[in-house]
Amino acid sequence: MTSRKTALITGSNSGIGLGIAHALAATGHDIVINSFTERDEDHALAELLGKEHGVKSVYIKADMSRSDECRALIANAASVFGGVDILVNNAGIQHVAPVEEFPTEKWDAVIAINLTSAFHTVAAAVPLMKSAGWGRIINVASAHGLRASPFKSAYVAAKHGIVGFTKAVALELAENKITSNAICPGYVLTPLVEAQIPDQMKTHDMDRETVIREIMLDKQPTRQFVTTEQIGALAAFLCSENAAQINGAALSVDGGWTAE
Ligand code: NAD
């Protein structure tokens, strides 16, 4: 196993981020959980995760739509753990609307949280990684970082943007033992996606299984959801020494969606 590092995962109090936090804690890394809320349950979640895996784990609130809070998150994590070795940019939101009706504030929020936040966290974390002589940057993009869908213009722009950002950073840091990679999931059954199923059942007058197969997983050739455990396992592998030469990659975990 890799020696013990500090891993910070943005947007990690649910879904894919929490799955990655569990996978990295299970490989023995200390963990910083993050979201924009400040609730007892957020801190309890971090404590539980630490106990479960026998690592140190803290929750640090920071709103990823704000540049100052992105940079403060890295500084606050470093003040607790002495550095940030693994940075996973995972926080993300979606908004669906035709481009001519897309609300400007929604466009700005999607770009800020899904793309610009990664610029700020990476910019703040790289000096720490350079002085430690090792680092891993993992950006959770999407199949929508490689392919488009209608009515998701901001999300598709942000996810294509983060794939490009991932590659530029990989080239800049390649000689510093710091890698930068993007994970591009297809549909993952997170609480966010689960919550859409009842509405889709009503809209299409279909049962749960048909909605999942015919509507939600229409583009995913395996017709199965990706799991948060599968994304977590890939993130953990990218943090291992065996992944030292995987750099600047956009790794698809999408059941074959982007093979077409
Ligand atoms: P989720 O809603 O369960 O998780 C999103 C996380 O981001 C939550 O922890 C939320 O609190 C956090 N977040 C939202 N706004 C924030 C803000 N302003 N500041 C800090 N944190 C904030 O959704 P998820 O499906 O787990 O999505 C996680 C990432 O995976 C996103 O980047 C998403 O685009 C990407 N993704 C998801 C899917 C999928 O099918 N679920 C597929 C491809 C990519």
Side-chain angles (χ1 to χ4, degrees):
M1 90 150 233
T2 317
S3 62
R4 187 168 183 150
K5 308 284 188 194
T6 297
L8 184 160
I9 305 102
T10 71
S12 47
N13 66 352
S14 83
I16 294 171
L18 186 57
I20 292 174
H22 272 286
L24 296 182
T27 45
H29 302 305
D30 293 325
I31 302 291
V32 178
I33 302 266
N34 154 263
S35 186
F36 59 92
T37 48
E38 181 68 76
R39 304 168 302 185
D40 288 348
E41 62 198 82
D42 295 320
H43 294 276
L45 182 70
E47 205 181 313
L48 195 70
L49 183 126
K51 270 194 192 141
E52 192 177 330
H53 300 286
V55 298
K56 201 170 161 190
S57 173
V58 299
Y59 175 83
I60 302 178
K61 181 231 168 212
D63 183 344
M64 293 295 101
S65 69
R66 296 180 48 123
S67 57
D68 55 343
E69 295 197 22
C70 292
R71 289 177 185 257
L73 172 62
I74 302 296
N76 290 335
S79 75
V80 176
F81 289 107
V84 173
D85 308 301
I86 298 165
L87 169 63
V88 182
N89 288 301
N90 169 78
I93 59 165
Q94 173 66 283
H95 187 78
V96 180
V99 67
E100 71 274 26
E101 291 166 18
F102 213 95
T104 301
E105 68 276 12
K106 292 288 184 195
W107 173 276
D108 289 344
V110 171
I111 299 294
I113 295 166
N114 296 36
L115 175 59
T116 311
S117 68
F119 157 64
H120 292 296
T121 56
V122 166
V126 161
L128 302 170
M129 292 179 181
K130 279 186 173 170
S131 68
W134 190 93
R136 292 285 187 267
I137 296 165
I138 300 172
N139 297 319
V140 179
S142 167
H144 283 115
L146 305 167
R147 297 288 186 276
S149 293
F151 312 118
K152 296 183 177 176
S153 56
Y155 189 81
V156 169
K159 294 299 188 183
H160 274 66
I162 199 142
V163 169
F165 177 70
T166 302
K167 293 179 190 176
V169 169
L171 297 179
E172 285 184 37
L173 302 173
E175 291 191 49
N176 296 89
K177 295 197 174 162
I178 301 169
T179 65
S180 166
N181 291 291
I183 297 178
C184 298
Y187 277 100
V188 186
L189 191 54
T190 60
L192 193 82
V193 172
E194 180 68 50
Q196 296 169 21
I197 296 175
D199 273 355
Q200 295 278 2
M201 287 168 65
K202 244 189 240 164
T203 308
H204 299 281
D205 191 23
M206 289 175 173
D207 63 26
R208 180 185 161 87
E209 292 319 310
T210 315
V211 158
I212 289 174
R213 188 180 164 79
E214 304 299 329
I215 307 293
M216 305 189 98
L217 298 180
D218 177 43
K219 287 187 176 169
Q220 206 145 296
T222 55
R223 305 279 180 162
Q224 287 182 1
F225 283 113
V226 179
T227 67
T228 58
E229 288 79 9
Q230 289 162 349
I231 304 293
L234 177 55
F237 177 67
L238 287 172
C239 295
S240 72
E241 285 316 305
N242 282 336
Q245 295 303 320
I246 302 177
N247 195 24
L251 300 160
S252 291
V253 188
D254 62 8
W257 176 345
T258 52
E260 279 189 30

